[in-house]
């Protein structure tokens, strides 16, 4: 269990059956923030990225921003500046320039009602849950979410597949989103596969541009894909991003250089199939059994390779 500076265990933030990250607004009042997100006044040209944690949010958000601007230029602000769970005061959203590339990890049932009613664009990314587990494991250990680093098996059993999971868990999150997408009669939702975007970035970025009704030429698509490669995005985190603007970052972290260090941790490998280096044969078989049971009525096709 995570501890505070005095060595006392921190109580996990649990709301609506979900473990929530220790972001200041959620620490203060998770219920209030979730309700603020649900009741957020939206504009018809808002673009909302709704992605389970560790599934490529930073990557796809940067692609979306470049498409909206029709320029292969990095945003000075980081994704966190537009992260609905982290913004200290939701009134900040009202002052953002349109079209607003907002992002969140909350399940579909907590998305802004007005955005859904408007038929606003929703971009969703589906990633192999085994790689999600591995990425989350390294993220939690590197950010010292726990008193002592956990081995992968312990993390997998007690956190990723535990009785109360991060944002309700991958299975619940994706099944709820699948149900919503099946009812989407206005083609307002696009689901991209993380693996397809890695293997065929030009094709998938064109698909995203078409979904957003943005007319861009092949040259710009290629430039955006290049600028949003894992290596260049990681470099941009160190050289371009202004972390002073991140509302959820404390003053100490902003001026002590820790914010940049924290954000750099978000880019570890970004690979497909890293789960093979962490899952034992037994653990993999155990996961597959749970997956087959949980997803027996689902049409979701996961790409493991």
């Amino acid at each position: 269990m995570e501890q505070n500076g005095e060595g006392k265990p921190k109580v996990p933030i649990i709301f609506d059956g979900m473990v929530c990250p220790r972001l200041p607004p959620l620490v203060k009042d998770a219920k209030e923030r979730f309700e603020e997100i649900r009741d957020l006044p939206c504009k018809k040209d808002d673009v909302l990225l709704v992605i389970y944690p560790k599934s490529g949010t930073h990557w796809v958000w940067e692609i979306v921003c470049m498409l909206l601007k029709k320029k292969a230029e990095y945003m000075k602000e980081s994704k966190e500046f537009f992260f609905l769970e982290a913004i200290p005061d939701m009134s900040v959203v009202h002052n953002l320039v349109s079209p607003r590339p907002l992002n969140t990890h909350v399940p579909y049932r907590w998305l802004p009602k007005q955005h859904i009613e408007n038929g606003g664009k929703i971009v969703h990314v589906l990633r192999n849950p085994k790689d999600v587990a591995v990425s989350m494991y390294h993220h939690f250990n590197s950010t010292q979410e726990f008193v002592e680093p956990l081995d992968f098996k312990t993390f997998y059993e007690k956190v990723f597949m535990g009785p109360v999971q991060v944002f309700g868990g991958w299975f619940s999150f994706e099944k709820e989103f699948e149900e919503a997408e099946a009812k989407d009669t206005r083609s307002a939702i696009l689901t991209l596969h993380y693996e397809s975007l890695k293997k065929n970035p030009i094709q998938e970025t064109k698909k995203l541009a078409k979904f957003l009704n943005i007319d861009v030429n092949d040259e710009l698509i290629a430039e955006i894909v290049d600028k949003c490669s894992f290596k260049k995005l990681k470099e941009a985190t160190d050289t371009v991003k202004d972390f002073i603007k991140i509302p959820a970052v404390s003053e100490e972290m902003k001026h002590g250089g820790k914010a940049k260090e924290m954000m750099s941790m978000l880019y570890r490998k970004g690979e497909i199939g890293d789960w093979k280096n962490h899952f034992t044969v037994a653990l993999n078989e155990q996961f597959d059994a749970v997956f087959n049971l949980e997803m027996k009525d689902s049409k979701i096709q996961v790409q493991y390779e």
Side-chain angles (χ1 to χ4, degrees), residues 1-14 19-24 26-28 140 143-148 250 252-253 262:
M1 182 179 293
E2 188 184 5
Q3 293 185 349
N4 60 24
E6 298 175 352
K8 297 178 181 179
K10 287 183 177 178
V11 178
I13 301 172
I14 298 177
V19 170
C20 302
R22 296 193 64 83
L23 299 167
L26 299 182
V27 171
K28 180 182 177 183
F140 280 8
T143 55
Q144 300 179 344
E145 294 287 333
F146 310 109
V147 177
E148 297 178 356
S250 68
E252 179 184 358
M253 292 187 73
M262 177 183 71

Side-chain angles (χ1 to χ4, degrees), residues 42-48 64 68 96-102 115 118-121 212:
C42 293
K43 302 176 182 179
K44 289 188 177 182
D45 61 353
D46 286 343
V47 178
L48 185 59
V64 166
L68 292 176
L96 297 176
V97 177
S98 294
R100 303 180 300 186
L102 307 175
H115 187 75
N118 287 344
K121 299 291 186 180
L212 296 174

Side-chain angles (χ1 to χ4, degrees), residues 179-199:
E179 181 180 353
E181 191 168 10
K183 297 177 181 178
D184 173 31
T185 59
R186 292 184 284 185
S187 300
I189 300 174
L190 174 67
T191 291
L192 297 172
H193 283 261
Y194 182 99
E195 295 76 18
S196 293
L197 191 57
K198 289 287 288 186
K199 292 182 283 190

